[in-house]
Amino acid sequence: MENNKVAVIGAGLMGSGIAQACAQAGYQVVNIDTFETAVEKAKANINSLFNKKVEKGKMTREQKDEILGRLTYSGSFEDVKGAFLVLEAVPEKIEIKKDTFRKVDAAADPGTVIVSNTSGLSISEIASVTDRPDKIMGAHFFYPAPVMKLLELVRGLVTSDETYAVVKEFAARIGKTTVDAPEFPGFMVNRILVPMQNEAAFMVMEGSSPEDVDNAIKLGCNHPMGPIELTDFVGIDTMLATMTGLYNGFHDSKYRPCPLLETMVKSGMLGKKTGNGFYKYDEKGNKIGSNF
Ligand code: 3HC
């Protein structure tokens, strides 16, 4: 019988969305996070998202129950056992990634492929802490993961063709279009997108209003969201980590992170998820004003 089990490590914004996308595509999913609060939040978010879809008539109650029936949660890495594929989506810090890969490598079956959702860290470096570097590669999702159609595939120096084929087939099954991105910081999308968000933050720091900066790009370039809104949406900490990765990785001052982003992260203003970023949000996530 075909192995239909995938494990997703991390139940934050990205991990929970990836788990949802996999369950919707028919996979049996275990979403693992050692922080119980993250698991509780992930469960509450998916329930509320699906309830809205049922209310809008975009999903039946039966479909909701069926998808949620394929999605389980755990606090133990041991539950990666039996999965043909493990998708890691823990915070974007190399030491956290390496620690996670060591643990998953020790617990997973020998043939299991392990992918990282890193948005720009070195796949080869992450793979180097495991005993299966040929079975490691990058699969970078975009937020919100169940909705965004792209999956960036990133091979490490020793990723095998078999591993690539497993991930490519998985991508097709969850309905994503793939691009082959180079193993350099930011891969493909973030190398282009995040410097734009960073430049937008500089403009706010220099006195432009977030609304004006967002309207300029939304109405002038037809983007669905402005760069400031988008930064709040994905998390200011996540965006700053990616920008810092570009700066450190290319050793090029053109990628210097905007100091305002650093101050905001230090002060706990992380965007929509904390209710406070460039904009202010109510408990339901609706925008209620601006901080600049
Ligand atoms: N999680 C899951 N699904 C979500 C969601 C979320 N957080 N937010 C919205 N959705 C779903 C809704 O349920 C809805 O599904 P339905 O059509 O089945 O009802 C669908 O998305 C559309 O939602 P809405 O009608 O509420 O809103 P919009 O039509 O305004 O679309 C959007 C929302 C898809 C987020 C759109 O604004 C958009 O495309 N924004 C740009 C997103 C973007 O650029 N993402 C990339 C970020 S960069 C990144 O991810 C890199 C990484 O390294 C951080």
Side-chain angles (χ1 to χ4, degrees), residues 11 16 20 31 36-52 64 68 71 73:
S16 59
Q20 179 192 328
N31 191 183
E36 213 179 310
T37 46
V39 168
E40 290 313 316
K41 207 165 168 187
K43 280 185 192 166
N45 283 348
I46 194 168
N47 256 305
S48 122
L49 190 81
F50 280 10
N51 285 341
K52 277 191 206 135
K64 174 192 157 184
L68 292 183
L71 182 53
Y73 295 87

Side-chain angles (χ1 to χ4, degrees), residues 201-273:
F202 268 110
M203 296 194 74
V204 172
M205 193 174 82
E206 290 158 7
S208 295
S209 76
E211 290 88 350
D212 276 354
V213 175
D214 281 338
N215 279 335
I217 297 300
K218 270 195 290 196
L219 306 179
C221 307
N222 244 359
H223 286 199
M225 278 182 169
I228 295 292
E229 269 189 292
L230 184 60
T231 301
D232 269 3
F233 189 59
V234 298
I236 298 175
D237 51 341
T238 302
M239 190 245 143
L240 177 63
T242 307
M243 197 65 209
T244 307
L246 288 171
Y247 183 61
N248 293 335
F250 285 108
H251 309 290
D252 189 332
S253 64
K254 77 176 173 181
Y255 296 116
R256 77 273 178 261
C258 172
L260 176 60
L261 294 170
E262 292 176 333
T263 307
M264 290 175 80
V265 169
K266 282 179 194 154
S267 74
M269 290 168 78
L270 305 185
K272 200 170 173 181
K273 63 188 170 187

Side-chain angles (χ1 to χ4, degrees), residues 47 50-69:
N47 256 305
F50 280 10
N51 285 341
K52 277 191 206 135
K53 283 187 193 285
V54 171
E55 274 165 32
K56 285 200 266 177
K58 293 198 165 179
M59 184 183 268
T60 64
R61 200 158 284 285
E62 291 70 35
Q63 284 169 324
K64 174 192 157 184
D65 293 342
E66 198 190 304
I67 296 166
L68 292 183

Side-chain angles (χ1 to χ4, degrees), residues 5 53 134 145 159 183 200 207 217 230 261 267 279 292:
K5 176 178 171 179
K53 283 187 193 285
D134 58 314
T159 303
E183 196 198 11
I217 297 300
L230 184 60
L261 294 170
S267 74
Y279 296 101
F292 296 94

